[in-house]
Amino acid sequence: MILGIGSDLANIDRIEGALARFGDRFRNRVFTEAEQRKAEGRQQVAATYAKRWAAKEACSKALGTGLRMGIAWKDMAVTNLRSGQPVMHVTGWAAERLAQMTPAGHEAVIHVTLTDDHPWAQAFVVIEARPLGPPAAGG
């Protein structure tokens, strides 16, 4: 079952401006060390940050809170599998909120997709609750 859906559109030039203006103060407030390493290792640094910004906004919306109620930017982080598929991780208050949303007997799975086409970066997040245990015998 779907527990939450969120989307966000971020302007890459706006993120690039924040990076130029605030530098490490901005990076360290919003992005985890792993996210920073990923972005700084890419050719399109600002686009990589913008996609992760959009993913955090989309995740906070899917959690039903937006960026309020104690949720912090770094409570949500995007990494990538070897295949390149993005994966959303939640900690802190975001993880607590996710646990509250998840029905008993289920596990929460966060799906995230990212894209960019200058000057826009976009993210969608869907939070799914999957039943725990073996599938029911069917007939």
Side-chain angles (χ1 to χ4, degrees):
M1 89 182 66
I2 302 299
L3 299 179
I5 300 172
S7 68
D8 193 66
L9 187 64
N11 185 288
I12 296 168
D13 294 333
R14 181 172 160 245
I15 298 298
E16 188 170 42
L19 290 165
R21 184 171 178 194
F22 301 109
D24 285 342
R25 198 169 102 209
F26 173 68
R27 280 183 198 86
N28 294 332
R29 183 175 151 254
V30 177
F31 302 101
T32 65
E33 288 181 19
E35 289 174 312
Q36 291 180 45
R37 280 192 306 273
K38 177 74 170 183
E40 298 298 327
R42 303 291 299 266
Q43 186 174 5
Q44 301 295 323
V45 173
T48 302
Y49 278 122
K51 286 186 282 191
R52 278 148 181 77
W53 172 282
K56 291 167 187 272
E57 287 274 8
C59 185
S60 72
K61 292 171 186 175
L63 289 168
T65 63
L67 285 162
R68 56 184 174 85
M69 296 175 57
I71 199 166
W73 285 104
K74 288 166 70 171
D75 284 349
M76 301 163 289
V78 177
T79 62
N80 296 84
L81 299 178
R82 291 186 129 215
S83 65
Q85 176 184 344
V87 178
M88 177 65 71
H89 305 275
V90 293
T91 59
W93 195 90
E96 291 174 26
R97 172 67 180 147
L98 183 61
Q100 292 169 355
M101 295 172 60
T102 306
H106 290 75
E107 66 175 340
V109 180
I110 303 175
H111 304 276
V112 60
T113 186
L114 310 172
T115 192
D116 68 282
D117 187 8
H118 194 271
W120 301 108
Q122 186 174 37
F124 287 97
V125 171
V126 175
I127 302 175
E128 172 191 14
R130 287 188 189 157
L132 292 172

